[in-house]
Structure formats: structure tokens, C-alpha cells
Amino acid sequence: MEIVILAAGKGTRMHSAHPKVMHTIGGKPMLAHVIDTAQSLGPEKIHVVIGFGADAIKQAFDSSPHKSILNWVIQVKQLGTGHAVQQALPQIDTDAASNPVLVLFGDVPLIKPETLKEVLEHCDDNNLALLSVNTQRPDGLGRIVRNNDNQVTAIIEERDASAEQKQIKEVNSGIMAIPASRLEQWLNALQNNNDQQEFYLTDIVSMAVQDKCSINAMVIDDDMEVMGVNDKSQLALLERHYQMKTVEELLSKGVTIRDPSRLDVRGDIFCGKDTIIDCNVILEGSVRLGSNVEVGANVIIKDSVIGDGVKVLPGTQIESSTIGNDASVGPMARLRPGTELGDGTKIGNFVETKNAKIGKGSKASHLAYLGDVELGENCNIGAGTIVCNYDGVNKHKTILGNNVFVGSNSVLVAPVSLEDNAFVAAGSAINSTVPSDSLAVARSKQRNIMGWKRPTKNK
Ligand code: UD1
Ligand code: CA
């Protein structure tokens, strides 16, 4: 079995500089959804017909795990869906007896593997299988024409349809399984004498009927599964549908989601038991939430692992980080890539971390920047502490032992070390080692000027 995915069109109605199939659903390009589904069916090859923005598309899939079975076919001018399949024809093995060629559309992203398996089962040398759907929204789609015996006889595009045919509510999904042995003959016979002057793949249906090949139209109920995206409004509609399905899956596994319409999942999410997600949360990439985690409102978590019992308080952003059990982060904290928080740590409001290893039980409760740091256990970083990790040219590290206390509004100028039990007086600028069990005071001494008069207002 070989698969052809049509993805050459510009998608004029998207009003975008990017190829239509690269627009995303759930954070993943539509074409990637289709390729993943195609791959799961175990085909010999996946031919992807591209044209508009071909280089950008190829580049985007350069690191795809399915790269080895992808064959890029270039359609220079987009002369129709039939013409597109024609471009792939020389590379399809049409001699292989009774092998179906499955045609998918790059702009129909939510099609399920189970449905496609069934379509494939209905295709052999004398049977062309296609997927149709009954819909209340047939506008712009190809109508399925049936005879008095309810046999499919043709597909008529809306622009070529008679007023009577336009009333038909059964429409073409575009997905078809065609016997490879017949493909060449039918494609070669396509004409473009229609309203759009395009070579329509759908015209092979009436040819098949003439050649005494039966048409097996599988009608499915879920019109969202086969919905094509032609404009931004359809993209938004499918995005919402996809999000609802994803959230339903999390709910079915026992996650508490305060408002299913206000969680967005753009990637692969794992959630433990008794985890609660509040409103307006975005989870991106690969996110693993442990058990008993509380994710507050307006939180964004990307590519991170969150341990059990962690509280992520409202307004927090976390990216490429690891958080130990029972830690508390936020509200309004920003954990940038390379943050590793130990168990029971606390990162409070307006604290930013980056490349920061924070040992068990350590705290930075308010207003701090911790970049390129290693903290031992049970340290306390006072409010307003800033690590100067950048000298204008290079980045340097700051290393703290266990049980270090940094007083408020201190500056730690890297590279610098603060050894176990070191104590830094508030307002210090530290630029050399603070030995263990010592107090560092690095600020000017306070002077009091007695009898000093405040300035008065000029007359
Ligand atoms: C097509 C079907 C229509 C069906 C609908 C379902 C045809 C003639 N019509 O119409 O019956 O109801 O899909 O969504 O097949 N493409 C190319 N090269 C081309 C033209 C199109 O690769 O020359 C690709 C597009 O990039 C897109 C797909 O084929 O991914 C479908 O093309 P589109 O123009 O969107 O077809 P529709 O008018 O939606
Ligand atoms: Ca379309």
C-alpha cells in the first residue's frame, strides 16, 4: 500500500504567506497530523505532493521520525487534485497486483487511522473506496451523486453542480483508496473541462463506474473528522474541536479541569492522579504533570516535568524545566530552560530562573534573578537578589553551598562562590568567595548627618 498526500496548494483563502498545510492544529502543522496518521497505517511509501512553499515544507520535516518513507513530489503548477496525483504516478508501483493507493489531503488533518483502515478494506482491483459524510454544511464541497439503486455514480464539485445537485447533503471528504492497477489509465483520461479548468481527481469516480468497478462509499457521521481547512475560520473551528477531544481524554483519565474550554494542549501531555488544572492554562510540547499537582490560572508550561504535589500558582511560565516533588512556583514566576528545582523548593513571585539547579528545600520567595546558578540545600535568597551572570561578553556561574543566606537586594557578581552556611548582609555586592560559616558585608557604612534640613520649594 502506498499513500499520496496532496499538499501543493497555496490556500489562497488563508490570506497567509505560509503554505496552508503548515498552519497548526494543537501546535502541530496540519500536514504533520496527516503524515503521522498515514505512517501509522504502515505504508511502503508516503508520497507528499507539494508546490507552494515546497522548500519550507521539506525543511520543516527534515527531522521528522518518518523521513525515510517520505517521498517529496513537486507539482510546479497546481492544476487540480487529479493533476497532483499524476505528478506522483511515475514513483508509484502500479504493477503490484491489487495494492490500493490511498489519497489523503494535507488540509484534512483530523482523519483517524481506524477510519482509513476501513476504507482500505473496501478497496481491491474491482472496488474503489471513498469516504463521504452527511453534513449540514455542504458549501464548497463535492457532492456525492447516487442513482436509484443508491449506487454512487459520480462526484460533482459545487461549482459544476446543478441547483438540484447542490441540495445533496452527502459530500466528498476527498479521501479515496484507488486500485493501483487502474490508477494510470484513469488519471490519463482526466479532462479539465469544468468551471475551474482543473484536472479533478473526483472525475475518476464516474470513469470507474463505466469500467464496471464498484464504488464503495463509506459514510461517516463525524463531519469534523473529515473537515477540510480552507480558511482561518475553519482552522479555528477545527482547533476548538481538537482541543475539546484532547481535554475529554484527560478528563476521562481523572484529571480535574475547571473549564474544559479554557485549557489548550499543544503537544503530548501526561497527567497523574488528582491533578487539578485551573482556567486559561496552555500546555505545550511534552509536559508531564505528576499526581496531586495544582496548576493555577493563566499558567503556561512547555516541555517540562512537574513532580508530585507541586503547586504552580497563577501567572507562571515554565519552559524546559524539571520540578521536584512538593515544590511551589509562582504566582508570576518565570522558569526558563535548564531550571531544575529540587524537592520542597519555593520560587515565588517575580522570580526568574535560567540554567538554575536549586537544591532541596531552597527558597527564593520574591523578586530575584537566578541565572547560571547552582544552589545547595536549604538556601534562602532574599528579595531583590540579582545574579550578574553576564559580563557583557561571557556568561559565568554562581555556586552556593548548603544553608546559604543571601540578604535582600544583594548582587552576586559571577563567577563567584558562597560556601556552606555563608551569610550575606542585605544590600551587598559580592564578587569574591564567601567562606563557609562567615558573614560577608559588602556595602558602604551608614552615615547619619544630624540636624540636616530637607530642601524647600522654590518660590
Ligand atoms: C476537494 C474535492 C472535493 C471535496 C473537498 C473536501 C476535488 C476536485 N475536490 O475540494 O470534492 O469535497 O476537497 O475537502 O478533489 N491540491 C494540490 N494540487 C492541486 C490542487 C489541490 O496538491 O493542484 C491539494 C491542496 O493543497 C489540498 C487538497 O489538494 O490539500 C485539496 O485541494 P482543495 O483545493 O482544497 O480542494 P477543495 O476545493 O477543497
Ligand atoms: Ca480543501
Side-chain angles (χ1 to χ4, degrees), residues 235-247:
L235 185 70
L237 192 68
L238 267 202
E239 176 74 32
R240 280 303 99 212
H241 177 74
Y242 177 83
Q243 291 301 339
M244 281 310 278
K245 289 268 170 211
T246 310
V247 170

Side-chain angles (χ1 to χ4, degrees), residues 317-335:
Q317 290 192 24
I318 301 174
E319 181 178 355
S320 303
S321 297
T322 309
I323 301 183
N325 299 334
D326 303 310
S328 166
V329 183
M332 256 83 75
R334 181 170 181 216
L335 309 192

Side-chain angles (χ1 to χ4, degrees), residues 190-417:
L190 288 179
Q191 306 269 316
N192 66 345
N193 50 0
N194 50 54
D195 183 72
Q196 301 192 76
Q197 301 194 325
E198 284 188 359
F199 297 91
Y200 290 161
L201 182 64
T202 43
D203 286 349
I204 70 172
V205 169
S206 51
M207 293 178 192
V209 173
Q210 270 175 10
D211 286 353
K212 306 265 181 299
C213 178
S214 313
I215 310 297
N216 291 325
M218 269 185 58
V219 190
I220 65 166
D221 301 323
D222 178 8
D223 63 349
M224 299 305 273
E225 188 185 339
V226 292
M227 184 172 153
V229 170
N230 298 310
D231 57 31
K232 291 281 169 74
S233 147
Q234 288 168 332
L235 185 70
L237 192 68
L238 267 202
E239 176 74 32
R240 280 303 99 212
H241 177 74
Y242 177 83
Q243 291 301 339
M244 281 310 278
K245 289 268 170 211
T246 310
V247 170
E248 266 166 31
E249 210 177 300
L250 289 174
L251 289 169
S252 74
K253 288 178 185 157
V255 184
T256 301
I257 296 172
R258 294 294 180 210
D259 182 353
S261 68
R262 284 189 285 168
L263 167 63
D264 277 55
V265 175
R266 301 177 190 155
D268 299 312
I269 309 305
F270 173 86
C271 278
K273 283 212 171 65
D274 293 310
T275 280
I276 302 176
I277 301 178
D278 213 326
C279 302
N280 295 330
V281 169
I282 301 179
L283 304 176
E284 285 185 75
S286 160
V287 173
R288 204 182 160 88
L289 303 176
S291 300
N292 292 301
V293 172
E294 284 177 30
V295 180
N298 303 314
V299 165
I300 301 178
I301 306 177
K302 181 174 182 185
D303 295 322
S304 294
V305 178
I306 315 293
D308 296 338
V310 170
K311 286 191 171 50
V312 181
L313 300 168
T316 294
Q317 290 192 24
I318 301 174
E319 181 178 355
S320 303
S321 297
T322 309
I323 301 183
N325 299 334
D326 303 310
S328 166
V329 183
M332 256 83 75
R334 181 170 181 216
L335 309 192
R336 290 169 52 203
T339 297
E340 289 175 33
L341 305 185
D343 293 350
T345 47
K346 179 179 177 196
I347 297 294
N349 42 251
F350 307 110
V351 175
E352 174 180 344
T353 63
K354 185 215 76 175
N355 272 338
K357 277 198 188 135
I358 313 270
K360 245 186 184 170
S362 288
K363 292 180 176 145
S365 300
H366 357 244
L367 298 161
Y369 173 61
L370 299 173
D372 301 307
V373 298
E374 264 179 47
L375 268 65
E377 300 181 2
N378 298 314
C379 293
N380 194 325
I381 306 293
T385 298
I386 302 291
V387 164
C388 304
N389 58 328
Y390 184 51
D391 60 14
V393 188
N394 296 303
K395 300 272 173 75
H396 302 282
K397 279 190 89 164
T398 299
I399 299 184
L400 276 66
N402 295 326
N403 225 2
V404 173
F405 186 101
V406 179
S408 293
N409 208 33
S410 292
V411 166
L412 309 178
V413 183
V416 71
S417 298

Side-chain angles (χ1 to χ4, degrees), residues 69-205:
I69 64 162
L70 291 182
N71 175 39
W72 301 107
V73 177
I74 304 290
Q75 184 192 25
V76 180
K77 272 196 178 162
Q78 283 81 61
L79 301 178
T81 49
H83 181 261
V85 180
Q86 263 171 359
Q87 308 312 300
L89 192 59
Q91 297 178 57
I92 298 174
D93 182 6
T94 46
D95 298 333
S98 64
N99 266 2
V101 173
L102 180 66
V103 177
L104 305 177
F105 284 4
D107 66 349
V108 180
L110 299 190
I111 185 70
K112 292 193 195 122
E114 305 85 84
T115 309
L116 294 175
K117 274 181 202 150
E118 244 184 279
V119 173
L120 285 166
E121 276 162 20
H122 288 85
C123 174
D124 60 34
D125 269 348
N126 298 311
N127 286 284
L128 185 153
L130 63 85
L131 197 57
S132 72
V133 62
N134 285 312
T135 178
Q136 290 312 308
R137 302 172 277 204
D139 312 87
L141 298 168
R143 305 298 203 274
I144 304 285
V145 180
R146 292 178 182 265
N147 64 15
N148 293 335
D149 300 327
N150 208 30
Q151 297 297 306
V152 175
T153 55
I155 298 176
I156 308 287
E157 290 308 299
E158 181 169 87
R159 293 165 72 154
D160 306 301
S162 65
E164 194 186 337
Q165 286 167 334
K166 279 184 189 150
Q167 299 303 310
I168 300 173
K169 297 280 189 291
E170 184 185 4
V171 296
N172 176 29
S173 70
I175 289 162
M176 261 186 215
I178 308 161
S181 53
R182 311 258 201 148
L183 186 63
E184 184 167 7
Q185 165 203 346
W186 291 336
L187 286 178
N188 287 342
L190 288 179
Q191 306 269 316
N192 66 345
N193 50 0
N194 50 54
D195 183 72
Q196 301 192 76
Q197 301 194 325
E198 284 188 359
F199 297 91
Y200 290 161
L201 182 64
T202 43
D203 286 349
I204 70 172
V205 169

